[in-house]
Amino acid sequence: MSRHRNVRGYNYDEDFEDDDVYGQSVEDDYCISPSTAAQFIYSRRDKPAFAEPLEEEYGYEGTEDTAGYFTTNHQLAGVDKARLNSCLDQMREVLGESVPERTMVQAVLDSQFDVQKALDLVLSQDSKQNMKTKNEDAVIIGKMTKGKSRDSQSARMESEIVPKVTKMTVSGKKQSMGFEVPCGITEENGHVNTSQKVLLTEDASVTSGVPETASKSALSPQVVQVSEEQNVVPTPVKKSSKTKPQIDVKAELEKRQGGKQLLNLVVIGHVDAGKSTLMGHLLYLLGNVNKRTMHKYEQESKKAGKASFAYAWVLDETGEERERGVTMDVGMTKFETKTKVITLMDAPGHKDFIPNMITGAAQADVAILVVDASRGEFEAGFETGGQTREHGLLVRSLGVTQLAVAVNKMDQVNWQQERFQEIIGKLGQFLKQAGFKESDVAYIPTSGLGGENLVTRGQSDELAKWYKGKCLLEQIDSFKPPQRSVDKPFRLCVADVFKDQGSGFCVTGKIEAGYIQVGERLLAMPPNETCTAKGITLHDEPVDWAAAGDHVSLTLTGMDIIKINVGSVFCDPKEPIKVCTRFRARILIFNIEVPITKGFPVLLHYQTVSEPATIRRLLSILHKSTGEVTKKKPKVLTKGQNALIELQTQRPVALELYKDFKELGRFMLRYGGSTIAAGVITEIKE
């Protein structure tokens, strides 16, 4: 047997008969999310090749077919054929491809080669047909404007009203969609139906070779205009980032998510109090984690010798967190209750990761403080050096006013009412001193591992005997959402920066004030550079706009990723945020061992920034309740005092005054691994 292939006489076609995959996309095991794949990866199965649909969808028919149609139905002389083709060309310029070839041929022959009459005929036929569908379209538009994002609205309106065309997407660039309708039609034929006019404007964009964009928000104003003003021809709409249609954010916010309000919730507490397990089990009971995934976590955690950590793995996703059994970074996810959409942040409890916990707490509206009910564990977390106290103080200092205390692991003390009351007594006194109102704090006995009293009221007999209150989910649902600063200028603090597929890069963070739309220009401070928001993602879904309170991911272009750091602030270029290295602040000093003097080095935690700073001057000591100056130029500050100081940071930091932006006016000072003070910014020095 010859070891060499007969190259000359070999039939290569046999190799490619069955499995010819050349020129087709092959499924790869790349780690790409389905949404990214849909956005960026071209698939022949979803969108047919460009050549074929042009004939199918546009109704382009070869000249042979048309010629055949002439010869079979109408015996035309050579001159008449030429006149017919000339008329058809003129009509195509006006009508685009919205009318079938045969209809146009028939109209030309009926009108004896008079183009204007032929156009009249065609349009009057169309207007009769469209009169029937007009009412249905209006109903559809009316329905669609309720509670749906503008993206899906405009896409559906197009499919209902406009004939299908091959869509070509140009990522990121908005093209103008409206075009002037040639005057001949609109003047002579006053009876042309408006839906026909929309067809004309749409098709004009196709015939002029302008690619349609991926986001159809540019089209939606036209379609709405048609439904409102039946007798007005749409004028050309020139879209640019400067003159964007302003949306009524408050009205849109109420409609969004089916009228549910948004709430940012942080889960805090001492290390090993069971925060991740509690929230992981809650998510599983709500159906946010499927049984298959949960079963996989259970098997894997058993193999790792951490069987009780299975629910915690829902939120602790990195290998190191799972290996050590400790949350290190803020895990973020979303779930829904009856009346609210909750953004859940699972903060780390270990004292080494308090900077991360501050980042999470700074973005929260309400908090759940998880404490361990078992003997000795609660005391360890609550006494000096425990994180229960520090976390409670931190969230209060960062502006959280509503708190739910989940007394966890109650099954380990057999749901004893005495133990529950003892914990409430100790915690209640401390939280009152920290500044929480008693009416804003709720205490709930739970078991994170057993799933007791999380989603439904407690079933166990020992608990049902004495506890008649709410379960954890009902308590979360009853939190009052704070007022959103939608009217103020746009502000977003960067929590993370990463490179995405495609052009540009992504930043994530919480919008503290104002709102943003796709295509808007933004100013980044400190680097003081502008860029464009190419895309907005909220809860992993692309949206057209987002407002204060939303945790979003922005895709940005026109700027180098190197210049953006965690802690930079994106703002409205017309009303930029102030950047400085020196500022004055009013601070409240916590329990400290070392008194604070001039030149004291601290770590400034502000939103997502942690920046080394020095206390340059001690200006005065203030009265706790009235705020009056009790002593000027003190030499030293001790625990529990209220003071006015001047701070200097090493690098410029973007700040706002507390009186202008409450969310952006608060900060924390830490030293030697513990929080020594909380403060508000009163004056910014250039």
Side-chain angles (χ1 to χ4, degrees):
M1 179 180 164
S2 167
R3 289 175 57 205
H4 301 286
R5 188 186 268 190
N6 177 6
V7 179
R8 284 185 186 169
Y10 191 74
N11 181 6
Y12 285 97
D13 293 340
E14 290 172 6
D15 281 3
F16 298 111
E17 271 176 20
D18 300 323
D19 54 348
D20 180 15
V21 292
Y22 182 72
Q24 296 187 21
S25 29
V26 180
E27 296 283 333
D28 285 321
D29 299 330
Y30 294 137
C31 303
I32 294 182
S33 70
S35 57
T36 312
Q39 191 177 353
F40 294 108
I41 294 181
Y42 169 74
S43 162
R44 257 176 108 159
R45 279 169 298 182
D46 301 343
K47 296 168 191 163
F50 290 116
E52 296 121 19
L54 287 174
E55 291 176 12
E56 294 164 17
E57 296 188 348
Y58 280 52
Y60 280 141
E61 293 170 11
T63 48
E64 295 89 0
D65 296 347
T66 320
Y69 178 64
F70 302 154
T71 48
T72 51
N73 291 349
H74 309 278
Q75 302 300 329
L76 295 176
V79 180
D80 287 346
K81 270 189 198 172
R83 286 173 70 193
L84 177 67
N85 283 328
S86 165
C87 290
L88 288 176
D89 287 344
Q90 286 181 48
M91 287 175 75
R92 270 198 212 103
E93 280 176 20
V94 174
L95 297 172
E97 302 304 330
S98 58
V99 179
E101 183 101 15
R102 299 191 174 201
T103 313
M104 292 202 284
V105 171
Q106 192 63 51
V108 172
L109 294 171
D110 289 351
S111 60
Q112 297 180 346
F113 304 108
D114 187 329
V115 178
Q116 291 301 337
K117 283 184 184 174
L119 279 171
D120 280 359
L121 272 172
V122 171
L123 291 173
S124 61
Q125 282 172 18
D126 270 15
S127 62
K128 283 171 192 170
Q129 289 171 4
N130 287 333
M131 283 297 279
K132 296 174 190 173
T133 55
K134 189 166 72 174
N135 295 334
E136 293 168 24
D137 287 343
V139 170
I140 289 162
I141 292 169
K143 282 182 186 169
M144 284 190 294
T145 48
K146 288 182 188 170
K148 290 225 173 181
S149 66
R150 288 163 63 228
D151 243 2
S152 60
Q153 276 183 27
S154 44
R156 269 187 64 186
M157 284 181 198
E158 263 185 272
S159 59
E160 310 272 310
I161 301 172
V162 183
K164 289 189 178 175
V165 289
T166 308
K167 292 186 171 57
M168 296 169 63
T169 58
V170 177
S171 58
K173 290 176 187 168
K174 290 238 169 194
Q175 304 282 353
S176 55
M177 296 291 299
F179 288 84
E180 295 260 18
V181 181
C183 301
I185 309 171
T186 50
E187 286 167 10
E188 290 191 18
N189 311 309
H191 59 275
V192 179
N193 186 288
T194 35
S195 49
Q196 178 65 28
K197 287 172 194 166
V198 176
L199 291 179
L200 294 179
T201 52
E202 177 66 12
D203 276 326
S205 70
V206 177
T207 49
S208 309
V210 176
E212 294 179 25
T213 56
S215 140
K216 291 287 183 242
S217 57
L219 178 69
S220 52
Q222 277 188 332
V223 183
V224 173
Q225 181 186 4
V226 169
S227 63
E228 287 169 1
E229 305 168 16
Q230 286 294 337
N231 299 320
V232 183
V233 180
T235 51
V237 184
K238 283 274 193 278
K239 285 277 174 266
S240 74
S241 56
K242 290 173 189 170
T243 58
K244 292 198 71 65
Q246 292 301 312
I247 54 171
D248 183 0
V249 180
K250 287 186 176 172
E252 292 286 339
L253 268 175
E254 284 170 16
K255 284 188 221 163
R256 190 172 71 185
Q257 306 283 9
K260 291 188 177 182
Q261 294 165 310
L262 186 81
L263 198 66
N264 297 305
L265 169 77
V266 69
V267 183
I268 54 170
H270 189 60
V271 64
D272 285 341
K275 297 181 291 298
S276 299
T277 301
L278 183 79
M279 297 324 287
H281 204 151
L282 181 79
L283 290 170
Y284 172 62
L285 292 173
L286 286 172
N288 287 36
V289 184
N290 60 36
K291 287 187 178 174
R292 192 170 130 218
T293 313
M294 205 60 246
H295 181 68
K296 188 180 90 176
Y297 289 159
E298 281 167 11
Q299 297 302 319
E300 286 176 4
S301 57
K302 268 182 200 162
K303 273 185 201 166
K306 291 182 163 64
S308 62
F309 281 74
Y311 290 112
W313 283 18
V314 172
L315 289 158
D316 294 346
E317 292 173 339
T318 64
E320 194 177 357
E321 285 182 324
R322 290 179 175 184
E323 195 182 312
R324 293 174 60 174
V326 172
T327 306
M328 295 162 73
D329 206 351
V330 178
M332 201 173 284
T333 185
K334 157 200 150 175
F335 66 92
E336 294 191 20
T337 65
K338 283 179 189 170
T339 62
K340 296 188 175 58
V341 177
I342 310 284
T343 305
L344 172 71
M345 289 167 285
D346 179 37
H350 199 287
K351 64 186 289 192
D352 291 356
F353 307 116
I354 281 197
N356 295 352
M357 178 261 157
I358 292 174
T359 302
Q363 300 172 16
D365 306 318
V366 295
I368 293 179
L369 176 64
V370 183
V371 295
D372 189 339
S374 42
R375 298 259 168 219
E377 289 293 325
F378 169 72
E379 285 73 13
F382 189 64
E383 303 308 326
T384 323
Q387 258 47 67
T388 306
R389 276 175 181 272
E390 185 163 4
H391 281 201
L393 273 173
L394 280 172
V395 290
R396 183 64 197 90
S397 310
L398 289 166
V400 172
T401 56
Q402 300 173 74
L403 188 72
V405 179
V407 183
N408 199 20
K409 306 191 188 180
M410 280 292 288
D411 48 343
Q412 293 192 7
V413 294
N414 297 326
W415 302 99
Q416 288 174 8
Q417 187 175 1
E418 297 77 38
R419 179 63 174 160
F420 184 67
Q421 295 297 345
E422 182 189 340
I423 289 170
I424 286 183
K426 286 185 181 173
L427 260 181
Q429 199 178 349
F430 162 71
L431 292 173
K432 195 174 174 183
Q433 286 172 349
F436 287 100
K437 291 181 190 166
E438 283 183 33
S439 58
D440 287 339
V441 181
Y443 299 89
I444 299 147
T446 60
S447 164
L449 193 61
E452 197 71 23
N453 208 29
L454 297 185
V455 179
T456 53
R457 304 257 173 126
Q459 304 298 317
S460 73
D461 299 333
E462 290 96 339
L463 177 62
K465 263 189 263 175
W466 57 270
Y467 183 73
K468 301 284 185 272
K470 294 175 179 172
C471 66
L472 188 62
L473 189 69
E474 289 171 337
Q475 180 56 44
I476 292 171
D477 199 35
S478 68
F479 279 131
K480 297 185 281 293
Q483 198 65 38
R484 306 265 174 232
S485 317
V486 179
D487 304 332
K488 293 182 179 173
F490 178 73
R491 299 283 184 268
L492 177 136
C493 295
V494 178
D496 195 9
V497 187
F498 56 93
K499 190 87 179 78
D500 195 21
Q501 283 140 341
S503 61
F505 62 94
C506 289
V507 298
T508 58
K510 179 188 168 196
I511 300 177
E512 296 293 346
Y515 68 94
I516 182 173
Q517 287 176 264
V518 174
E520 278 188 7
R521 297 288 292 168
L522 296 176
L523 176 69
M525 300 292 266
N528 195 10
E529 298 222 359
T530 56
C531 55
T532 308
K534 194 175 90 175
I536 305 170
T537 311
L538 174 67
H539 298 312
D540 299 328
E541 291 166 12
V543 290
D544 269 354
W545 62 275
D550 293 342
H551 279 271
V552 293
S553 171
L554 300 181
T555 308
L556 304 169
T557 52
M559 187 178 192
D560 196 342
I561 189 169
I562 299 166
K563 293 180 177 169
I564 288 292
N565 297 315
V566 170
S568 296
V569 177
F570 282 97
C571 54
D572 187 344
K574 292 176 193 146
E575 299 180 69
I577 192 168
K578 302 175 191 73
V579 174
C580 67
T581 53
R582 280 170 56 216
F583 64 92
R584 289 187 176 184
R586 178 178 171 167
I587 62 167
L588 169 67
I589 295 160
F590 297 153
N591 289 345
I592 51 169
E593 271 92 50
V594 184
I596 293 174
T597 53
K598 185 178 167 182
F600 196 84
V602 289
L603 198 60
L604 170 77
H605 285 276
Y606 169 79
Q607 292 296 329
T608 52
V609 189
S610 70
E611 186 68 35
T614 331
I615 294 174
R616 279 196 42 158
R617 293 169 68 191
L618 307 179
L619 298 165
S620 58
I621 295 175
L622 308 171
H623 191 277
K624 272 190 179 177
S625 50
T626 59
E628 292 171 2
V629 176
T630 55
K631 187 179 179 184
K632 285 188 177 178
K633 295 189 180 176
K635 293 275 188 290
V636 68
L637 299 175
T638 54
K639 69 177 181 182
Q641 283 185 327
N642 220 325
L644 201 62
I645 60 164
E646 189 173 300
L647 279 158
Q648 170 124 26
T649 57
Q650 288 186 5
R651 292 180 299 184
V653 184
L655 302 169
E656 286 284 4
L657 296 180
Y658 180 71
K659 62 178 172 47
D660 299 336
F661 283 82
K662 281 196 173 178
E663 301 88 352
L664 295 169
R666 298 189 180 94
F667 64 90
M668 314 296 299
L669 297 178
R670 286 172 59 78
Y671 171 75
S674 62
T675 308
I676 57 167
V680 295
I681 299 157
T682 55
E683 188 184 342
I684 291 174
K685 297 277 187 186
E686 291 306 320

